[in-house]
Each structure stands twice: as C-alpha cells, then as structure tokens.
Coordinates of all heavy atoms in Angstrom, one line a residue:
D1 N 0.9 -1.2 0.0 CA 0.0 0.0 0.0 C 0.9 1.3 0.0 O 1.8 1.3 0.7 CB -0.9 0.1 1.2 CG -1.9 -1.0 1.3 OD1 -2.2 -1.7 0.2 OD2 -2.5 -1.3 2.3
V2 N 0.4 2.3 -0.7 CA 1.1 3.5 -0.8 C 0.0 4.6 -0.6 O -1.1 4.5 -1.2 CB 1.8 3.8 -2.2 CG1 2.5 5.1 -2.2 CG2 2.9 2.7 -2.4
H3 N 0.3 5.6 0.2 CA -0.6 6.7 0.4 C -0.3 7.9 -0.5 O 0.9 8.3 -0.4 CB -0.7 7.1 1.9 CG -1.3 6.0 2.8 ND1 -2.5 6.1 3.3 CD2 -0.7 4.8 3.1 CE1 -2.7 5.0 3.9 NE2 -1.7 4.2 3.9
L4 N -1.2 8.5 -1.2 CA -1.0 9.7 -1.9 C -1.6 10.8 -1.1 O -2.7 10.9 -0.6 CB -1.8 9.6 -3.3 CG -1.8 10.9 -4.1 CD1 -0.3 11.1 -4.5 CD2 -2.7 10.6 -5.3
V5 N -0.6 11.8 -0.9 CA -1.0 13.0 -0.1 C -0.7 14.3 -1.0 O 0.4 14.2 -1.6 CB -0.2 13.1 1.1 CG1 -0.5 14.4 1.9 CG2 -0.5 11.9 2.0
T6 N -1.6 15.1 -1.2 CA -1.3 16.3 -1.9 C -1.5 17.6 -1.1 O -2.3 17.6 -0.1 CB -2.4 16.4 -3.1 OG1 -3.8 16.4 -2.7 CG2 -2.2 15.2 -4.1
L7 N -0.9 18.7 -1.5 CA -1.1 20.0 -0.9 C -0.7 21.1 -1.9 O 0.3 21.0 -2.6 CB -0.1 20.1 0.3 CG 0.0 21.3 1.2 CD1 -1.4 21.3 1.8 CD2 1.1 21.4 2.1
K8 N -1.6 22.1 -2.0 CA -1.3 23.2 -2.9 C -0.1 24.0 -2.4 O 0.0 24.1 -1.2 CB -2.5 24.1 -3.2 CG -3.6 23.4 -3.8 CD -4.8 24.5 -4.0 CE -5.9 23.9 -4.8 NZ -7.0 24.8 -5.0
D9 N 0.6 24.6 -3.4 CA 1.7 25.5 -3.0 C 1.3 26.6 -2.0 O 2.1 26.9 -1.1 CB 2.3 26.1 -4.2 CG 3.1 25.0 -5.1 OD1 3.6 24.1 -4.6 OD2 3.2 25.4 -6.3
G10 N 0.2 27.1 -2.2 CA -0.3 28.3 -1.3 C -0.7 27.9 0.0 O -1.0 28.7 1.0
A11 N -0.6 26.5 0.3 CA -1.1 26.1 1.8 C 0.0 25.8 2.6 O -0.2 25.4 3.8 CB -1.9 24.8 1.5
I12 N 1.2 26.2 2.4 CA 2.4 26.0 3.2 C 2.1 26.8 4.6 O 1.8 27.9 4.5 CB 3.7 26.5 2.6 CG1 4.1 25.7 1.5 CG2 4.9 26.5 3.6 CD1 5.3 26.1 0.7
G13 N 2.3 26.1 5.6 CA 2.1 26.8 6.9 C 0.6 26.9 7.4 O 0.5 27.3 8.5
L14 N -0.3 26.5 6.5 CA -1.7 26.6 6.9 C -2.3 25.3 7.4 O -3.3 25.3 8.1 CB -2.5 27.2 5.7 CG -2.1 28.6 5.2 CD1 -2.9 28.9 4.0 CD2 -2.3 29.6 6.4
M15 N -1.8 24.2 6.8 CA -2.4 22.9 7.1 C -1.4 21.8 6.8 O -0.4 22.0 6.2 CB -3.6 22.7 6.3 CG -3.4 22.6 4.8 SD -4.8 22.1 3.9 CE -5.1 20.4 4.5
V16 N -1.7 20.7 7.5 CA -1.0 19.4 7.3 C -2.1 18.4 7.0 O -2.9 18.2 7.9 CB -0.1 19.0 8.4 CG1 0.5 17.5 8.2 CG2 1.0 20.0 8.7
P17 N -2.2 17.8 5.8 CA -3.2 16.8 5.6 C -3.2 15.8 6.6 O -2.2 15.1 6.8 CB -2.9 16.3 4.1 CG -2.1 17.4 3.5 CD -1.3 18.0 4.7
S18 N -4.4 15.4 7.1 CA -4.5 14.4 8.2 C -4.1 13.1 7.8 O -3.7 12.3 8.6 CB -5.9 14.5 8.9 OG -6.9 14.1 7.9
K19 N -4.3 12.8 6.5 CA -4.1 11.4 6.1 C -2.5 11.1 6.1 O -2.1 10.0 6.1 CB -4.5 11.2 4.6 CG -4.0 12.1 3.6 CD -4.7 11.7 2.2 CE -5.2 13.0 1.5 NZ -5.7 12.6 0.3
T20 N -1.8 12.2 6.1 CA -0.2 12.1 6.3 C 0.1 11.4 7.5 O 0.8 10.4 7.6 CB 0.4 13.4 6.2 OG1 0.0 14.1 5.1 CG2 2.0 13.2 6.2
L21 N -0.6 11.9 8.7 CA -0.2 11.3 10.0 C -0.8 9.8 10.0 O 0.0 9.0 10.7 CB -0.8 12.1 11.0 CG -0.3 13.6 11.1 CD1 -1.1 14.4 12.1 CD2 1.1 13.7 11.4
A22 N -1.8 9.5 9.4 CA -2.4 8.1 9.5 C -1.4 7.2 8.7 O -1.2 6.1 9.1 CB -3.8 8.2 8.7
A23 N -0.9 7.6 7.6 CA 0.0 6.9 6.9 C 1.2 6.6 7.6 O 1.8 5.5 7.7 CB 0.4 7.6 5.4
F24 N 1.9 7.7 8.3 CA 3.0 7.5 9.2 C 2.7 6.6 10.3 O 3.6 5.6 10.5 CB 3.5 8.9 9.7 CG 4.0 9.9 8.7 CD1 4.2 11.2 9.0 CD2 4.4 9.4 7.5 CE1 4.7 12.1 8.2 CE2 4.9 10.4 6.5 CZ 5.0 11.7 6.9
V25 N 1.7 6.7 10.9 CA 1.4 5.7 12.1 C 1.2 4.3 11.6 O 1.6 3.4 12.3 CB 0.1 6.2 12.8 CG1 -0.4 5.2 13.8 CG2 0.4 7.5 13.5
A26 N 0.6 4.2 10.4 CA 0.5 2.8 9.8 C 1.8 2.2 9.3 O 1.8 1.0 8.9 CB -0.5 2.8 8.8
G27 N 2.8 3.1 9.1 CA 4.1 2.7 8.6 C 4.1 2.5 7.1 O 4.9 1.7 6.6
K28 N 3.2 3.1 6.5 CA 3.0 3.0 5.0 C 3.8 4.1 4.3 O 3.8 5.3 4.8 CB 1.6 3.0 4.6 CG 0.7 1.9 5.2 CD 1.1 0.6 4.7 CE 0.3 -0.6 5.4 NZ 0.8 -1.9 5.0
P29 N 4.4 3.8 3.1 CA 5.1 4.9 2.4 C 4.1 5.9 1.8 O 2.9 5.6 1.5 CB 5.8 4.1 1.3 CG 5.0 3.0 1.1 CD 4.5 2.5 2.5
V30 N 4.6 7.2 1.7 CA 3.8 8.3 1.1 C 4.3 8.8 -0.2 O 5.6 9.0 -0.2 CB 3.8 9.4 2.2 CG1 3.0 10.6 1.6 CG2 3.0 8.9 3.5
V31 N 3.5 9.0 -1.1 CA 4.0 9.8 -2.2 C 3.3 11.2 -2.1 O 2.1 11.2 -2.1 CB 3.5 9.1 -3.6 CG1 3.7 10.1 -4.8 CG2 4.2 7.8 -3.8
F32 N 4.1 12.1 -1.9 CA 3.6 13.5 -1.6 C 3.8 14.3 -2.7 O 4.9 14.5 -3.3 CB 4.4 14.1 -0.3 CG 4.1 15.5 -0.1 CD1 2.8 15.9 0.2 CD2 4.9 16.4 -0.4 CE1 2.5 17.2 0.6 CE2 4.7 17.8 -0.1 CZ 3.4 18.2 0.4
V33 N 2.6 15.0 -3.2 CA 2.7 15.9 -4.3 C 2.4 17.3 -3.7 O 1.3 17.6 -3.2 CB 1.7 15.6 -5.4 CG1 1.7 16.7 -6.5 CG2 1.8 14.2 -6.0
G34 N 3.5 18.1 -3.6 CA 3.3 19.5 -3.0 C 4.7 20.1 -2.8 O 5.7 19.6 -3.3
P35 N 4.6 21.2 -2.1 CA 5.9 22.1 -2.0 C 6.9 21.3 -1.0 O 6.5 20.9 0.1 CB 5.4 23.3 -1.4 CG 4.0 23.1 -0.8 CD 3.5 21.9 -1.7
A36 N 8.1 21.2 -1.5 CA 9.1 20.6 -0.6 C 9.3 21.3 0.7 O 9.8 20.7 1.7 CB 10.4 20.5 -1.4
A37 N 9.1 22.6 0.8 CA 9.3 23.4 1.9 C 8.2 23.3 2.9 O 8.3 23.8 4.0 CB 9.4 24.9 1.5
S38 N 7.1 22.5 2.7 CA 6.0 22.3 3.6 C 6.5 21.2 4.7 O 7.5 20.6 4.6 CB 4.9 21.8 2.8 OG 5.0 20.5 2.4
E39 N 5.7 21.2 5.8 CA 6.0 20.3 6.8 C 6.0 18.8 6.3 O 6.9 18.0 6.6 CB 4.9 20.4 7.9 CG 5.0 19.5 9.1 CD 6.1 19.7 10.0 OE1 6.6 20.9 10.0 OE2 6.5 18.8 10.8
V40 N 5.0 18.5 5.4 CA 5.0 17.2 4.9 C 6.0 16.9 3.9 O 6.7 15.8 4.0 CB 3.6 16.9 4.1 CG1 3.5 15.6 3.6 CG2 2.5 17.1 5.1
G41 N 6.3 17.9 3.1 CA 7.4 17.7 2.2 C 8.8 17.4 2.8 O 9.6 16.6 2.3
S42 N 9.0 18.2 3.9 CA 10.3 18.0 4.6 C 10.4 16.7 5.3 O 11.4 16.0 5.3 CB 10.5 19.1 5.6 OG 9.6 19.1 6.6
R43 N 9.3 16.2 5.9 CA 9.3 14.9 6.5 C 9.4 13.8 5.6 O 10.1 12.8 5.9 CB 8.0 14.7 7.5 CG 8.1 15.7 8.6 CD 7.0 15.4 9.6 NE 7.0 16.4 10.7 CZ 7.7 16.3 11.8 NH1 8.4 15.2 12.0 NH2 7.7 17.2 12.7
V44 N 8.7 13.8 4.5 CA 8.7 12.7 3.5 C 10.1 12.7 2.8 O 10.7 11.7 2.7 CB 7.6 12.9 2.5 CG1 7.7 11.9 1.3 CG2 6.3 12.6 3.2
G45 N 10.5 13.9 2.4 CA 11.8 14.0 1.6 C 13.1 13.6 2.4 O 13.9 12.9 1.9
T46 N 13.2 14.1 3.7 CA 14.3 13.8 4.4 C 14.2 12.7 5.4 O 15.3 12.2 5.8 CB 14.7 15.1 5.2 OG1 13.7 15.4 6.1 CG2 15.0 16.3 4.3
G47 N 12.9 12.3 5.7 CA 12.7 11.3 6.8 C 12.7 9.8 6.2 O 12.5 8.8 7.0
G48 N 12.7 9.6 4.9 CA 12.7 8.3 4.3 C 11.3 7.7 4.4 O 11.1 6.6 4.2
A49 N 10.3 8.5 4.6 CA 8.9 8.1 4.6 C 8.3 7.9 3.3 O 7.1 7.4 3.2 CB 8.0 9.0 5.5
G50 N 8.9 8.3 2.3 CA 8.3 8.1 0.9 C 9.0 9.0 -0.1 O 10.2 9.3 0.0
I51 N 8.2 9.5 -1.0 CA 8.8 10.2 -2.2 C 8.0 11.5 -2.3 O 6.8 11.5 -2.2 CB 8.8 9.6 -3.5 CG1 9.5 8.1 -3.5 CG2 9.2 10.3 -4.7 CD1 9.3 7.2 -4.5
A52 N 8.8 12.6 -2.5 CA 8.1 13.9 -2.6 C 8.3 14.4 -4.1 O 9.3 14.3 -4.6 CB 8.7 15.0 -1.6
V53 N 7.2 14.9 -4.6 CA 7.1 15.4 -6.0 C 6.5 16.8 -6.0 O 5.6 17.1 -5.2 CB 6.3 14.4 -6.8 CG1 6.2 15.0 -8.3 CG2 6.9 13.0 -6.8
S54 N 7.1 17.7 -6.7 CA 6.6 19.1 -6.8 C 5.3 19.0 -7.5 O 5.0 18.3 -8.4 CB 7.6 20.0 -7.5 OG 8.7 20.1 -6.8
C55 N 4.3 20.0 -7.3 CA 3.1 20.2 -7.9 C 3.4 20.5 -9.4 O 4.4 21.3 -9.7 CB 2.4 21.4 -7.4 SG 1.7 21.1 -5.8
G56 N 2.6 19.8 -10.2 CA 2.8 20.0 -11.7 C 3.9 19.1 -12.3 O 4.1 19.1 -13.5
D57 N 4.5 18.3 -11.5 CA 5.7 17.4 -12.1 C 5.0 16.1 -12.4 O 5.2 15.2 -11.7 CB 6.8 17.4 -11.1 CG 7.9 16.5 -11.5 OD1 7.9 16.1 -12.7 OD2 8.9 16.2 -10.7
A58 N 4.4 16.0 -13.5 CA 3.7 14.8 -13.9 C 4.7 13.6 -14.1 O 4.4 12.5 -13.7 CB 2.9 15.0 -15.2
A59 N 5.8 13.9 -14.7 CA 6.9 12.9 -15.0 C 7.3 12.4 -13.7 O 7.6 11.2 -13.5 CB 8.0 13.4 -15.8
G60 N 7.6 13.2 -12.7 CA 8.0 12.9 -11.3 C 7.1 12.0 -10.7 O 7.5 11.0 -9.9
L61 N 5.7 12.3 -10.8 CA 4.7 11.5 -10.1 C 4.6 10.1 -10.7 O 4.6 9.1 -10.1 CB 3.3 12.2 -10.3 CG 2.2 11.5 -9.7 CD1 2.4 11.3 -8.2 CD2 0.9 12.2 -9.9
V62 N 4.7 10.0 -12.1 CA 4.8 8.7 -12.7 C 6.0 7.9 -12.3 O 5.9 6.8 -12.0 CB 4.8 8.9 -14.3 CG1 5.1 7.5 -15.0 CG2 3.4 9.4 -14.8
A63 N 7.1 8.5 -12.2 CA 8.4 7.9 -11.7 C 8.3 7.4 -10.4 O 8.7 6.3 -10.0 CB 9.6 8.8 -12.0
A64 N 7.6 8.2 -9.5 CA 7.4 7.8 -8.1 C 6.5 6.5 -8.0 O 6.8 5.6 -7.2 CB 6.8 9.0 -7.3
W65 N 5.5 6.5 -8.8 CA 4.5 5.4 -8.8 C 5.3 4.1 -9.3 O 5.1 3.0 -8.7 CB 3.3 5.6 -9.5 CG 2.3 6.4 -8.7 CD1 1.9 7.7 -9.0 CD2 1.6 6.1 -7.5 NE1 0.9 8.1 -8.2 CE2 0.8 7.2 -7.2 CE3 1.7 4.9 -6.7 CZ2 0.0 7.1 -6.0 CZ3 0.8 5.0 -5.6 CH2 0.1 6.0 -5.2
R66 N 6.0 4.3 -10.3 CA 6.7 3.2 -10.8 C 7.8 2.6 -9.8 O 8.0 1.5 -9.7 CB 7.5 3.6 -12.1 CG 6.5 3.7 -13.3 CD 7.1 4.0 -14.6 NE 6.1 3.9 -15.6 CZ 6.3 4.6 -16.8 NH1 7.4 5.4 -17.0 NH2 5.2 4.6 -17.7
F67 N 8.5 3.5 -9.3 CA 9.5 3.2 -8.2 C 8.8 2.4 -7.1 O 9.4 1.3 -6.6 CB 10.3 4.4 -7.6 CG 11.2 4.0 -6.5 CD1 12.4 3.5 -6.8 CD2 10.9 4.3 -5.2 CE1 13.3 3.1 -5.8 CE2 11.7 4.0 -4.1 CZ 12.9 3.4 -4.4
R68 N 7.7 2.9 -6.5 CA 7.0 2.3 -5.4 C 6.6 0.9 -5.9 O 6.5 0.0 -5.0 CB 5.9 3.1 -4.9 CG 6.2 4.3 -4.2 CD 7.2 4.2 -3.0 NE 6.9 3.0 -2.2 CZ 7.7 2.6 -1.3 NH1 9.0 2.9 -1.2 NH2 7.4 1.4 -0.6
A69 N 6.1 0.7 -7.1 CA 5.6 -0.5 -7.7 C 6.8 -1.6 -7.7 O 6.5 -2.8 -7.4 CB 5.0 -0.4 -9.0
C70 N 7.9 -1.1 -7.9 CA 9.1 -2.0 -8.0 C 9.6 -2.5 -6.6 O 10.1 -3.6 -6.5 CB 10.2 -1.3 -8.8 SG 9.9 -1.2 -10.5
V71 N 9.4 -1.6 -5.7 CA 10.0 -2.0 -4.2 C 8.9 -2.6 -3.4 O 9.2 -3.0 -2.3 CB 10.7 -0.8 -3.6 CG1 11.9 -0.4 -4.3 CG2 9.7 0.3 -3.4
S72 N 7.6 -2.5 -3.8 CA 6.6 -3.0 -2.9 C 6.4 -4.5 -3.1 O 6.8 -5.1 -4.1 CB 5.2 -2.4 -3.4 OG 5.2 -1.0 -3.0

C-alpha cells in the first residue's frame, strides 16, 4: 500500500493533511505531491517516509509510482 498526499503550493504553513499522519502511524510509504518546503514535504523527503514530488511534475509522479511498484 502507498498513500497519496497532496497539498497546494499556497497552503504552506496553513495545514498538514491528516491522512499524512495516518500513513506515518500505519508505517506505510507516502507519495507526496506538493511543496518541498512544507511540513509534509520535509518529513517525507528527508525522513525516508516516501517520495516527494513538486506540484505540476507529472513525470516525477509517474516515476514515483513506478519506483514504489518495483519496491513493494
């Protein structure tokens, strides 16, 4: 299982999607689409909890899904 979490660029500092915490507690990897400077982006990107992709990076999102499919 992989959890998809999204966050608009303008939402930095305003919210943390609740499904992020649920995925972390469940020990499931996260594919995060949103700003790297956000709370979720920093935890996913540096914490090894999944893969972070910038908004609008369709090729990066496809690569993330393919990578997760290979290691799952």
Side-chain angles (χ1 to χ4, degrees):
D1 294 343
V2 177
H3 293 256
L4 176 64
V5 177
T6 61
L7 185 68
K8 289 184 177 183
D9 288 336
I12 294 176
L14 299 176
M15 64 173 293
V16 174
S18 61
K19 61 179 136 184
T20 308
L21 301 175
F24 290 164
V25 169
K28 301 296 182 181
V30 171
V31 173
F32 173 66
V33 179
S38 68
E39 178 75 20
V40 179
S42 65
R43 291 187 184 271
V44 169
T46 61
I51 299 171
V53 179
S54 297
C55 289
D57 183 5
L61 180 59
V62 170
W65 281 116
R66 286 184 177 155
F67 174 76
R68 289 306 318 161
C70 289
V71 294
S72 294

